[in-house]
Amino acid sequence: MRAFNFSAGPAMLPEAVMRKAQAEFLNWNNTGMSVMEMSHRSKEFMEVAHHMEATLREIMGIPSNYKVLFVHGGASLQFAGVPMNLTEADDVVDYVNTGVWSQKAIKEASRYVNVNEVAKAENSIPAPETWRLSPEAKYLHICQNETITGVEYQSAPISDKPIISDFSSTVLSRPINVSDYGVIYAGAQKNIGPAGLAIVVVREDLIGQARSDTPNLMNWQTYNDNESMFNTPATFSWYLAGLVFDWIKEQGGVDAIGEVNQRKSKKLYDLIDASDFFYNEVDPSVRSWMNVTFKLKNADLDAAFLEESKAAGLLSLKGHKAYGGMRASIYNAMPEEGVDALVQFMKTLKRNTPDNSRP
Ligand SMILES: *Cc1c(COP(=O)(O)O)cnc(C)c1O
């Protein structure tokens, strides 16, 4: 039996997708071979690739003046890729620091360009009026959803500069307006599919400005000119991502999925807020729909909580070591029943502990 796996990433994939992949694992589409055994340049695989991009464009509502690139190196390579593609070494760029992933992006970008940190917070997003923006900045970088604390922008900030956003842990989780952004990038292993690829959705005028010493495989132009096949892509990850995009469409797209995601997260936040045993530290106006963090008021009971939740089939609830406590990552593929089971588990623990000595 499959458990409810609250891992932050790699994370649960939709069961229907896994079953389909399993059924056609050895013999894809009557070709006599697995999709991972065929040439990436074959007609068959090119159809997989084109279908994947078309479906992503449709479910994400990507306008025609945006290019979709399927890239190597995860989201982390784009921490360097963004400045290399958009700046020269003496340029200035603005970054909002809302947590660990913002900080990693800042640290890497600082090796290539002058980074101005416009604001900093851990459990909230500082009010945009307070951001110390630099007039000459080439772009404004944000992390749309801080996976470790569970802090998420509920809409795009307003800026006259291109907004570059790390969407790794919230891509395709709710409707967004792609044209609010210059570049959206995301690693696959949270909401897209298995690890091994990342997507870059980039407004076409932002392609073609890379530094001359940018490695080919970091240059967005290379991907754009070669249908993301300058070299061999992670074909099996592409194929599975395509199945996940089909699945999202079947669910009614990001509008329908967004409603479910909001409801799933609210069930947990409502329980946590009403509880004497658990608390959440994030400003309620920017709480993540994807990563719900909570801490036990008595942290001595963390180990017992993890042991008992695991025994109940609720896996990977341990929070990131940089933040502590617990984290329920409830990406698109986490069924609502999984959240209901966690809520029930947390309530039962409460009922069994009249003396407050346990969670
Ligand atoms: C997981 C994550 C990353 C790192 O992704 P990789 O694909 O492993 O490089 C970057 N940013 C955010 C917000 C993440 O959640």
Side-chain angles (χ1 to χ4, degrees), residues 74-76 79 101 143 145 147 166 168-169 187 189-190:
S76 301
F79 293 164
W101 287 111
C143 177
N145 181 61
T147 318
D166 176 359
S168 294
S169 49
Q189 63 277 14
K190 282 108 185 195

Side-chain angles (χ1 to χ4, degrees), residues 124-136:
S124 64
I125 295 173
E129 309 84 76
T130 66
W131 294 358
R132 298 171 301 272
L133 298 162
S134 33
E136 70 278 27

Side-chain angles (χ1 to χ4, degrees), residues 84-99:
M84 293 194 101
N85 277 276
L86 296 175
T87 68
E88 296 299 332
D90 52 4
D91 284 338
V92 176
V93 291
D94 282 340
Y95 277 68
V96 185
N97 176 354
T98 49

Side-chain angles (χ1 to χ4, degrees), residues 8-10 73-79 100-102 104-105 143-148 166-170 185-190 195-198 291 327 331:
S76 301
L77 194 63
Q78 298 308 314
F79 293 164
V100 168
W101 287 111
S102 296
K104 287 185 194 259
C143 177
Q144 198 77 18
N145 181 61
E146 285 284 357
T147 318
I148 291 174
D166 176 359
F167 261 78
S168 294
S169 49
T170 185
Y185 65 95
Q189 63 277 14
K190 282 108 185 195
L197 79 144
N291 310 97
R327 170 174 56 177
Y331 301 119

Side-chain angles (χ1 to χ4, degrees), residues 60-74:
M60 208 169 154
I62 301 174
S64 57
N65 64 326
Y66 281 72
K67 301 295 184 185
V68 177
L69 316 176
F70 299 100
V71 306
H72 300 282

